Amino acid sequence: MSSRRIFSACVRHHSSLIRELMENMDKKAIWDRFYTENSSRTPTFKNFEWFFGFDSVREFIMPLLQTNSHPDSLLHVLDVGCGTSALGPCIYRHSPLPVQITCADISPIAVRLMQEHVRAEAIQPHNVSSQLEFVELDCTHLHKHYGSSSVDLIVDKGTIDALLRSKEGKGKAGLVLKQCLKVLRSSGSLLQFSDEDPDARLLWLETEAREPGVMAADVLVQEVGELRGVCYYCYQVTPRCTVKQ
């Protein structure tokens, strides 16, 4: 399993933490412990990337930020389960159009580490009107923070994978997907990066995105490529108007 290799590289001296993570990746407390222990072992901050970094998926993300269907406001981009990844800051740094980047994570430790890091690095946006923020947020409750049809792009780099691989996370994974569809604009998309084979993930997405009697989303898949012997995919989920009330 690729996620085990990723964790092993980061916490190779903490086998008990790896075992707990693999079974409980839906739990806030285990992520707080992970980010606390991971950050304490290095004198300087280092981003932790689940699967891969921004450069590997830049070509999937940036074309969706080339046009603004509502030019009087910022494009709202949400990175769910951001952890301490550089993905959100990289979009902020490279988007030619003005964007509001919200990097959300359930762990306040990860949020604090990223807030401190971007302040220290003074990251500059490509567009001077762009904004970047890090917030503590349980993404199974997106509707409490965002209105319907308020987000243009949601990026999920391994968050739903983590939930699906947890003992008690499958229900939460379905909730996150449904919440994403509710807050996305009709012109928006959820980009889900995963190492799960399309035969399994497409079936799951199409099943979980179904409203009574109708499909609530369209799903496309593209191959990202092979990294470290693992093949990754980009699943683009676009809400249908039936999901809006």
Side-chain angles (χ1 to χ4, degrees):
M1 182 181 293
S2 63
S3 51
R4 180 176 292 277
R5 290 198 293 273
I6 292 169
F7 286 130
S8 296
C10 257
V11 287
R12 57 174 58 90
H13 300 302
H14 298 262
S15 58
S16 63
L17 178 54
I18 295 175
R19 286 194 298 271
E20 287 185 57
L21 275 165
M22 295 308 299
E23 295 183 349
N24 300 289
M25 287 189 283
D26 62 315
K27 303 292 192 300
K28 173 183 174 295
I30 197 68
W31 286 110
D32 285 346
R33 180 184 167 194
F34 170 76
Y35 290 116
T36 298
E37 294 191 13
N38 199 42
S39 64
S40 68
R41 290 195 303 278
T42 57
T44 57
F45 175 86
K46 184 177 181 181
N47 295 107
F48 171 73
E49 298 294 350
W50 179 282
F51 295 156
F52 38 66
F54 171 74
D55 287 341
S56 297
V57 292
R58 178 174 180 166
E59 65 184 272
F60 297 94
I61 296 172
M62 300 311 293
L64 298 180
L65 301 176
Q66 297 304 308
T67 58
N68 192 346
S69 58
H70 44 102
D72 294 332
S73 60
L74 301 177
L75 285 166
H76 194 170
V77 180
L78 175 62
D79 179 6
V80 295
C82 65
T84 56
S85 168
L87 183 66
C90 283
I91 299 173
Y92 172 72
R93 194 163 57 227
H94 291 285
S95 175
L97 288 182
V99 288
Q100 165 68 58
I101 307 291
T102 301
C103 302
D105 200 274
I106 198 172
S107 170
I109 308 299
V111 170
R112 177 181 57 79
L113 287 169
M114 288 302 294
Q115 289 172 333
E116 293 173 352
H117 172 61
V118 297
R119 280 197 296 266
E121 292 292 315
I123 298 171
Q124 298 300 313
H126 188 289
N127 188 299
V128 294
S129 296
S130 291
Q131 300 172 16
L132 174 66
E133 65 175 348
F134 297 86
V135 299
E136 180 185 350
L137 176 62
D138 181 345
C139 292
T140 62
H141 300 295
L142 287 179
H143 69 285
K144 294 182 178 180
H145 302 268
Y146 302 100
S148 297
S149 302
S150 63
V151 180
D152 296 282
L153 176 64
I154 300 177
V155 182
D156 164 22
K157 186 159 70 77
T159 297
I160 282 184
D161 281 45
L163 294 173
L164 288 172
R165 290 168 181 173
S166 303
K167 287 191 299 184
E168 301 174 5
K170 291 182 176 60
K172 294 179 182 178
L175 278 175
V176 171
L177 177 63
K178 289 179 172 64
Q179 291 285 297
C180 287
L181 291 174
K182 287 183 177 180
V183 304
L184 276 171
R185 298 181 190 274
S186 59
S187 59
S189 291
L190 162 65
L191 291 186
Q192 193 177 98
F193 297 102
S194 174
D195 63 352
E196 186 167 51
D197 187 271
D199 287 345
R201 182 53 59 90
L202 285 173
L203 177 60
W204 183 83
L205 285 168
E206 290 169 354
T207 300
E208 292 295 324
R210 184 175 294 277
E211 295 288 312
V214 296
M215 278 298 296
D218 294 307
V219 185
L220 300 174
V221 60
Q222 299 179 70
E223 187 173 307
V224 174
E226 186 173 306
L227 297 168
R228 297 181 296 274
V230 178
C231 191
Y232 294 94
Y233 303 91
C234 173
Y235 297 92
Q236 182 173 354
V237 186
T238 305
R240 292 182 179 177
C241 60
T242 52
V243 79
K244 305 294 187 267
Q245 301 299 321

